[in-house]
Amino acid sequence: AWRPASARAWDEDDTRLLAAAGKIVRMALEHEAIQREMLRTARTDPLTGLLNRRAFREEVMRHTDRTDRESLPSTVMYVDLDHFKRVNDSLGHGVGDHVLGEVAARLRAAVPGEAVVARIGGDEFIVCSHLASPEAAVAVAERMRAALAPPVASQGREIVISASIGVACARPDHDAEALIREADRAAYEAKRHGRNRVHLFDRAMRERIRDDLAIESEFRRAIVDDELVLFHQPIVDTRTGRASQVEAL
């Protein structure tokens, strides 16, 4: 059927408009995808794909808010690999990176589905989860420790990995930094007691930290006020009867 020239012109303009609109939509979608990728990169560890320290801290803050609403303690578990530096020093960073990737996968598989897992340092990982009690938290930490026990195969070698894990459960007065700090301190205690074990941050540890801070504060004040007095105590060699050494107290 015949159409007037004005109708044909309208069809051509409409086609151009549709093409321009499609181009704008594609550009918007590409821009959105780039923004999503930038956000993902800013929040994740490039080696393991886990969250990084900053993103994890934000997640802990959200979990502690949820604790207040649901009366479930938010638990942080700090995982510090034992003697991992030896792997990098003896086998190279390529093997070390492979081991870290395997550790990340095993940790993710060992924790509850809602748990948040992050890599926050060279050989340090951290987990946040909602668990009903400290005993349940320790049980999950032991499951993580057991998951790391089988050797990791890399370049024809079997590499044995273990971890010292600190567990801290939130209290009503907790903030995210305090919870992470207590889990870190508990992991340090696990290392101090022989490594490859789980240690729960408890009231006794809290009191020791408070006492240490008080003593440090008193020493600083004593130095300023010139309250320190030096004594020398001789150590006598019983074979000769002579003072062979002196302790300064």
Side-chain angles (χ1 to χ4, degrees):
W2 176 86
R3 288 178 300 173
S6 59
R8 291 196 298 275
W10 169 256
D11 287 344
E12 292 170 0
D13 290 343
D14 193 42
T15 300
R16 284 195 295 269
L17 285 172
L18 287 174
K23 184 176 181 181
I24 292 172
V25 170
R26 286 195 301 273
M27 290 174 62
L29 291 174
E30 289 172 1
H31 179 70
E32 183 180 357
I34 291 171
Q35 285 188 317
R36 284 199 303 269
E37 179 61 21
M38 289 175 63
L39 179 61
R40 187 195 67 80
T41 302
R43 288 174 53 85
T44 58
D45 168 55
L47 177 62
T48 63
L50 301 177
L51 293 182
N52 58 25
R53 178 186 286 271
R54 178 179 178 181
F56 180 80
R57 187 180 291 110
E58 294 171 356
E59 291 296 329
V60 173
M61 292 174 69
R62 277 197 282 271
H63 271 242
T64 50
D65 288 344
R66 179 180 156 191
T67 299
D68 294 336
R69 294 196 304 271
E70 299 182 7
S71 300
L72 286 172
S74 186
T75 302
V76 167
M77 291 164 277
Y78 200 105
V79 182
D80 194 347
L81 301 185
D82 298 327
H83 303 301
F84 183 75
K85 187 174 183 296
R86 295 178 182 174
V87 176
N88 281 333
D89 290 347
S90 60
L91 302 178
H93 287 275
V95 173
D97 289 350
H98 174 75
V99 171
L100 290 173
E102 179 66 20
V103 167
R106 292 184 186 186
L107 291 178
R108 216 170 352 204
V111 300
E114 52 81 29
V116 178
V117 186
R119 179 186 176 218
I120 60 170
D123 60 355
E124 296 171 332
F125 297 80
I126 198 163
V127 178
C128 178
S129 181
H130 282 277
L131 297 164
S133 66
E135 292 77 16
V138 169
V140 171
E142 289 288 2
R143 193 160 69 234
M144 289 193 294
R145 191 174 69 86
L148 298 180
V152 177
S154 179
Q155 297 184 3
R157 300 173 183 269
E158 288 194 339
I159 303 164
V160 177
I161 294 295
S162 68
S164 301
I165 304 177
V167 179
C169 298
R171 304 188 309 277
D173 60 341
H174 256 129
D175 58 25
E177 291 295 339
L179 193 57
I180 294 172
R181 190 165 56 247
E182 289 184 358
D184 185 10
R185 179 62 184 259
Y188 171 79
E189 288 295 314
K191 281 187 176 291
R192 197 168 69 86
H193 285 83
R195 303 176 188 268
N196 191 26
R197 64 186 64 227
V198 173
H199 201 95
L200 176 67
F201 190 93
D202 55 16
R203 179 179 297 177
M205 287 185 62
R206 192 173 302 117
E207 291 174 353
R208 283 202 304 275
I209 293 173
R210 190 180 302 121
D211 291 344
D212 290 346
L213 290 174
I215 291 171
E216 180 182 346
S217 177
E218 290 175 4
F219 263 111
R220 290 181 182 275
R221 181 186 56 77
I223 292 171
V224 172
D225 295 342
D226 196 24
E227 294 179 349
L228 299 182
V229 181
L230 183 64
F231 294 89
H232 292 97
Q233 174 173 288
I235 300 175
V236 177
D237 187 336
T238 57
R239 295 169 299 180
T240 63
R242 289 183 163 186
S244 59
Q245 300 177 62
V246 175
E247 288 182 336
L249 308 174

